[in-house]
Amino acid sequence: MADKNFAAGEKNSKGADVLVTGAAGFIGSHVCEELVKRGLRVVGLDDLSSGRLDNLAPLADHPCFRLVEGDICDATAVDQLFQDEHPAAVAHLAALVSVPRSIDDPDENFRLNLAGSQIVLEAARIAGTQRFVFASSAAVYGDTRAPTHTEEESSKHPLSPYGAAKLAVEHLLCAHAHCFGMSATALRFFNVYGPRQDPSSPYSGVISIFADRLASGAPITVFGDGEQTRDFVFVQDVARGVADAAQFQETGFRVVNCCTGRASSVLDLVQGLAQSYHDEVEPQVFHQAPRAGEIRHSLGDPSGFARVFGWTPATSLADGLRELLASGGRGGMLKQG
Ligand code: NAD
Ligand code: UD2
């Protein structure tokens, strides 16, 4: 069998270098852009259930990118795609991404997030794909009350079917790496934000909701006192991390946090967005009762990612918020100068 390992510039002559599931999504579209920027050929797979073709507009007609519309749960089609492309690496991001939906419909969570991942994993194994990168989540930790989550030491007690499926797929990846000599990486994303994040659901990322409210002049709702903190990581840093992992040559399994190690409160976000906004608006802020079952503080330790891949987050929250406001066709949102 041909060696399908590649670094930037060494191409798999048969088809794509990297197959990205969830390519039309918020994070997936940035991943595709990053990979293409590195000179790699990318095929995206997406059923457009929550992703949008618009997200891939920067890659439209690019000779190194194509999108296949399809469902990761359609095993025959997924197998065929892997056989056609023989990708050297896969970045698996397609998922049912809503935690509340996974609680409302645990069967659908199982079907998409666990069984769907197994279908992609198995197709990759059969096609001889060397590297598998999986979009896991900080949700695997649950509410451990540890000040900082580290990959090994923190306990993993997921509080939702979504978190449980992410943890189960990590275990499947570990076994695949062991049994079949694959290189498998699970990246536990913390709170990702940036351009293209959909603000339309009440459970959308808080930054996308706040930015949208500011743009339309609507008031901002802060749940609780706003002193709760999260580790917000900028989407282009995340995309760089996924691409680094997709190009990582060593076999075996590894799991790393994809985060910044910096805690920001919800009130910090309100202030940061208001300061970057063109009119220096004083946003109208209403406080509501805290969300039921909400985690008070969530912070990751990014040193494992730095140690294994040399990855560090490059974008400060202030810069990321400015980039977010400057994007998305909402001209004039960003403060000038
Ligand atoms: P997203 O909804 O924008 O992207 C998911 C993509 O998967 C969408 O384009 C959707 O159309 C596609 N998809 C869903 N079901 C599919 C199926 N059956 N077949 C093919 N495609 C399908 O969400 P996102 O925020 O970009 O999330 C990407 C990944 O990162 C997910 O695995 C998610 O669980 C994980 N993650 C995201 C965050 C975050 O803060 N956004 C945090 C932790 C983990
Ligand atoms: C994240 C994930 C969620 C799940 C959870 C596991 C996102 C978008 N959500 O939830 O799917 O994995 O982690 O722990 O990644 N907030 C407001 N006002 C709003 C919206 C939110 O104050 O209008 C607050 C919210 O109460 C929370 C913080 O902002 O304290 C972040 O909320 P979020 O939904 O963006 O993310 P999180 O960490 O609660």
Side-chain angles (χ1 to χ4, degrees):
M1 201 193 302
D3 178 14
K4 294 180 198 66
N5 276 339
F6 67 90
E10 292 169 54
K11 302 287 181 56
N12 159 23
S13 60
K14 276 185 105 176
D17 297 311
V18 189
L19 191 155
V20 179
T21 73
F26 161 49
I27 303 173
S29 59
H30 288 278
V31 168
C32 292
E33 271 193 85
E34 175 66 26
L35 291 165
V36 167
K37 217 164 62 186
R38 293 183 187 203
L40 300 170
R41 283 171 301 182
V42 177
V43 62
L45 174 65
D46 203 298
D47 69 354
L48 302 178
S49 53
S50 62
R52 294 169 17 172
L53 284 178
D54 275 5
N55 289 341
L56 292 167
L59 293 175
D61 303 325
H62 196 291
C64 290
F65 179 78
R66 79 183 180 101
L67 180 74
V68 173
E69 206 176 317
D71 180 354
I72 56 161
C73 295
D74 180 345
T76 310
V78 173
D79 273 342
Q80 191 58 54
L81 184 60
F82 272 85
Q83 290 306 319
D84 291 346
E85 299 287 342
H86 277 279
V90 55
H92 175 44
L93 288 94
L96 176 99
V97 299
S98 160
V99 170
R101 256 196 84 197
S102 82
I103 297 169
D104 288 347
D105 193 347
D107 271 353
E108 184 66 352
N109 171 72
F110 185 92
R111 193 178 75 81
L112 285 178
N113 290 350
L114 192 52
S117 295
Q118 172 60 27
I119 286 169
V120 178
L121 200 47
E122 183 61 357
R125 181 184 73 79
I126 293 167
T129 298
Q130 299 286 307
R131 288 184 289 286
F132 200 105
V133 184
F134 172 59
S136 187
S137 166
V140 302
Y141 292 116
D143 195 359
T144 65
R145 303 196 186 279
T148 308
H149 293 307
T150 54
E151 294 86 353
E152 301 306 328
E153 286 94 61
S154 298
S155 56
K156 269 73 74 186
H157 296 301
L159 300 175
S160 61
Y162 169 87
K166 291 288 185 189
L167 189 56
V169 174
E170 288 186 5
H171 291 313
L172 284 174
L173 277 187
C174 181
H176 266 249
H178 178 74
C179 297
F180 309 119
M182 221 178 221
S183 167
T185 305
L187 302 177
R188 290 181 184 150
F189 298 163
F190 278 64
N191 291 62
V192 187
Y193 74 100
R196 302 178 197 154
Q197 191 166 27
D198 178 6
S200 62
S201 134
Y203 296 102
S204 296
V206 61
I207 293 180
S208 68
I209 295 176
F210 284 4
D212 195 54
R213 293 274 168 93
L214 267 178
S216 60
I220 279 174
T221 305
V222 168
F223 296 121
D225 61 8
E227 298 292 350
Q228 66 270 39
T229 60
R230 295 292 183 271
D231 187 328
F232 294 102
V233 57
F234 191 59
V235 67
Q236 285 164 9
D237 288 334
V238 172
R240 196 166 37 80
V242 173
D244 288 352
Q247 292 188 289
F248 192 65
Q249 303 285 325
E250 278 174 36
T251 55
F253 172 71
R254 62 213 64 90
V255 53
V256 291
N257 291 331
C258 186
C259 58
T260 66
R262 288 187 292 270
S264 306
S265 72
V266 169
L267 292 180
D268 290 339
L269 299 178
V270 176
Q271 198 188 19
L273 282 164
Q275 280 172 352
S276 296
Y277 203 76
H278 65 97
D279 285 335
E280 283 195 54
V281 283
E282 194 57 54
Q284 268 189 291
V285 176
F286 291 100
H287 287 261
Q288 279 188 10
R291 276 181 177 165
E294 161 146 320
I295 292 171
R296 182 76 175 156
H297 299 293
S298 167
L299 180 65
D301 174 359
S303 59
F305 208 166
R307 214 170 29 250
V308 182
F309 297 97
W311 178 92
T312 50
T315 313
S316 67
L317 183 65
D319 286 347
L321 293 179
R322 286 178 66 81
E323 266 205 56
L324 170 65
L325 293 181
S327 71
R330 298 193 182 106
M333 284 176 76
L334 188 67
K335 184 173 154 185
Q336 301 301 311

